[in-house]
Amino acid sequence: MASSDDLRAEYLLLQTFYEDYDKRALSLKAIAGPLLGAGVAAGLKEASDAILVATIAVALSLWLLEAIWKSFQYCLVARIDQLEAWFRAEPAEPVIAPFQIYATWSQSWLHYRRAASLAAIFVQPFVALPYVVLVAVAGAGLILT
């Protein structure tokens, strides 16, 4: 049987992991957003299809990477939910094994690795921004120039 100290330690570790994904994504956006914006501006100023296409390619790659990271983050939710239920004294099972992060993560990954699950994450506003705007502006620049 798990001690509440073990489960508390696991819960705190999972919460840290969960929040770290958002910190990484925001750091990436803070660096990539202005650089991609500069790429769009340069492509429009120079009427350069090559710069605009390259900027779109990089923006789409980073957008996809962020969606994949978000799916990794969501894989932690099942275990967090399980631990929170246990602490509320609502466990599905009265005995819960501690330190099962990978076991529950890999079970969740079976769902999130599917293209449909990733597509649903890809279009979430906090994942799509600023990439969708940059791709749209660069795409419009390709069409209009």
Side-chain angles (χ1 to χ4, degrees):
M1 184 166 137
S3 79
S4 65
D5 288 342
D6 288 343
L7 295 176
R8 184 174 288 111
E10 181 181 352
Y11 180 80
L12 292 173
L13 184 63
L14 283 168
Q15 277 301 119
T16 299
F17 288 166
Y18 190 87
E19 292 168 7
D20 283 348
Y21 280 104
D22 287 332
K23 288 177 188 173
R24 286 185 205 119
L26 288 173
S27 294
L28 178 63
K29 287 176 190 282
I31 295 168
L35 292 174
L36 291 168
V40 171
L44 293 173
K45 182 178 182 276
E46 300 299 322
S48 171
D49 288 353
I51 293 174
L52 292 172
V53 168
T55 302
I56 290 170
V58 172
L60 289 172
S61 297
L62 291 172
W63 187 358
L64 178 60
L65 176 63
E66 188 171 336
I68 292 168
W69 279 351
K70 187 59 79 172
S71 72
F72 291 168
Q73 180 185 38
Y74 288 170
C75 287
L76 299 172
V77 170
R79 184 62 176 177
I80 291 170
D81 285 344
Q82 188 180 31
L83 292 169
E84 288 180 354
W86 189 87
F87 281 110
R88 285 190 308 268
E90 303 173 0
E93 301 173 24
V95 177
I96 182 171
F99 305 113
Q100 299 299 304
I101 295 170
Y102 179 76
T104 54
W105 187 97
S106 60
Q107 281 297 112
S108 293
W109 181 242
L110 296 175
H111 167 74
Y112 285 108
R113 71 180 185 175
R114 295 186 352 244
S117 296
L118 193 57
I121 294 169
F122 192 76
V123 298
Q124 291 174 349
F126 49 85
V127 173
L129 291 171
Y131 310 112
V132 66
V133 173
L134 293 164
V135 168
V137 171
L142 281 173
I143 293 167
L144 298 173
T145 59

